[in-house]
Amino acid sequence: MPDARRTEERSVRIEEHHDRVIATLDRPEVRNAIDQAMVDDLHALCERLETSPRILILTGAGGVFASGADIGQLRDRTAADAITSINATVFHRIRRLPMPVIAAVDGYALGGGAELAYAADIRIGTDRVRFGNPETGLGIIAAAGATWRLPEIVGHARASELLLTGRVLDAEEALHWGLISSVHSPDDLLAAAHTLADRIAANGARATELTKRLLLTPPDQHLGLVGDVQAELFDSAEKHERMTAFLERRKNR
């Protein structure tokens, strides 16, 4: 992997490679709680990735993914703030990024932190991961994606249990439910995320983008769209080059 370019944001550390970006949530003094500055940093990152698509790996510093929204700020937000959907808007933007998003989750992913992980295409975790949405215990709801993304990931019944009880899942249960796809030691987590990114990056970039677009398209819209998408790829130089290389490899076995 080539040398990365690193930039320091207020609350997110960015490491940029030619085919991927690693974004590390970094507010260790509050367990990476998501405040307005972090939201702003994530919007700025999305703007770059929308114009220059690359795989995104999201992770957290200090053995924590994100402990939730910053309660100090959240307590002072009003009905007008709720209507603007501050966290939901940036999580939606992350979900709609052109290339896949991998959440590498260690430690706590609670409340808004869990909802940020739900916005990823792929989630992996460590044996000390803890997922939960305790919002109803604070007198609010999980309004940044949990009520619609979590049922898609784990099913309606399990999502209902998690959101209505506020209980916390450990790594074993999160894996059993399909909330994460694999469990790693904390020291191996980022390497595992890069292995996934390597496998994605080895494929056709445009085919990957269009596959993600279809995965996010409502089922009743697929029939009209999938033919157009495949038509674009069938006429591409990359399809011809990759299939020719495949046939050459098979011939030379």
Side-chain angles (χ1 to χ4, degrees):
M1 186 180 295
D3 291 340
R5 180 166 65 87
R6 291 175 173 83
T7 57
E8 295 295 331
E9 306 286 1
R10 288 170 293 181
S11 55
V12 182
R13 285 188 282 114
I14 306 296
E15 182 179 321
E16 299 196 24
H17 301 265
H18 75 284
D19 62 358
R20 72 197 65 177
V21 172
I22 302 93
T24 303
L25 310 180
D26 193 13
R27 299 185 70 216
E29 70 281 3
V30 287
R31 295 185 175 181
N32 302 331
I34 300 169
D35 65 352
Q36 185 62 57
M38 186 178 286
V39 168
D40 294 342
D41 290 344
L42 290 172
H43 273 299
L45 174 60
C46 286
E47 185 174 359
R48 296 206 295 276
L49 293 178
E50 287 160 355
T51 57
S52 178
R54 282 168 288 172
I55 300 162
L56 173 60
I57 298 173
L58 281 171
T59 193
V64 176
F65 184 70
S67 59
D70 189 299
I71 300 298
Q73 289 189 6
L74 196 61
R75 182 187 58 186
D76 296 333
R77 287 179 182 169
T78 66
D81 293 315
I83 291 171
T84 64
S85 300
I86 294 169
N87 286 2
T89 299
V90 72
F91 296 170
H92 176 74
R93 198 171 181 183
I94 289 168
R95 180 64 171 156
R96 306 298 301 192
L97 285 172
M99 289 291 281
V101 178
I102 301 166
V105 183
D106 188 17
Y108 289 108
L110 302 176
E115 291 179 296
L116 174 57
Y118 302 158
D121 299 288
I122 301 170
R123 285 161 301 282
I124 61 175
T126 70
D127 53 6
R128 60 190 185 189
V129 77
R130 298 292 184 271
F131 278 97
N133 287 97
E135 284 87 347
T136 53
L138 297 171
I140 58 174
I141 64 169
T147 54
W148 62 93
R149 291 197 185 101
L150 192 57
E152 291 179 351
I153 298 166
V154 303
H156 187 274
R158 284 175 166 165
S160 297
E161 179 185 341
L162 200 64
L163 295 177
L164 295 175
T165 66
R167 76 180 183 89
V168 174
L169 298 184
D170 63 16
E172 182 180 0
E173 198 162 18
L175 180 65
H176 178 66
W177 282 23
L179 186 53
I180 54 177
S181 57
S182 58
V183 176
H184 309 271
S185 72
D187 289 342
D188 294 335
L189 179 64
L190 198 56
H194 279 295
T195 297
L196 284 170
D198 289 342
R199 295 193 66 169
I200 294 169
N203 299 325
R206 184 58 176 162
T208 298
E209 286 188 41
L210 292 174
T211 297
K212 175 168 177 174
R213 182 188 299 178
L214 286 168
L215 284 167
L216 297 178
T217 299
D220 62 355
Q221 297 178 26
H222 270 244
L223 187 58
L225 181 61
V226 70
D228 294 339
V229 165
Q230 193 74 301
E232 176 189 331
L233 295 171
F234 269 24
D235 282 344
S236 69
E238 184 173 38
K239 171 249 189 178
H240 186 270
E241 291 167 1
R242 284 178 174 270
M243 290 192 176
T244 299
F246 173 84
L247 291 172
E248 289 295 323
R249 288 194 300 271
R250 188 170 68 179
K251 183 176 68 175
N252 293 327
R253 285 177 182 171

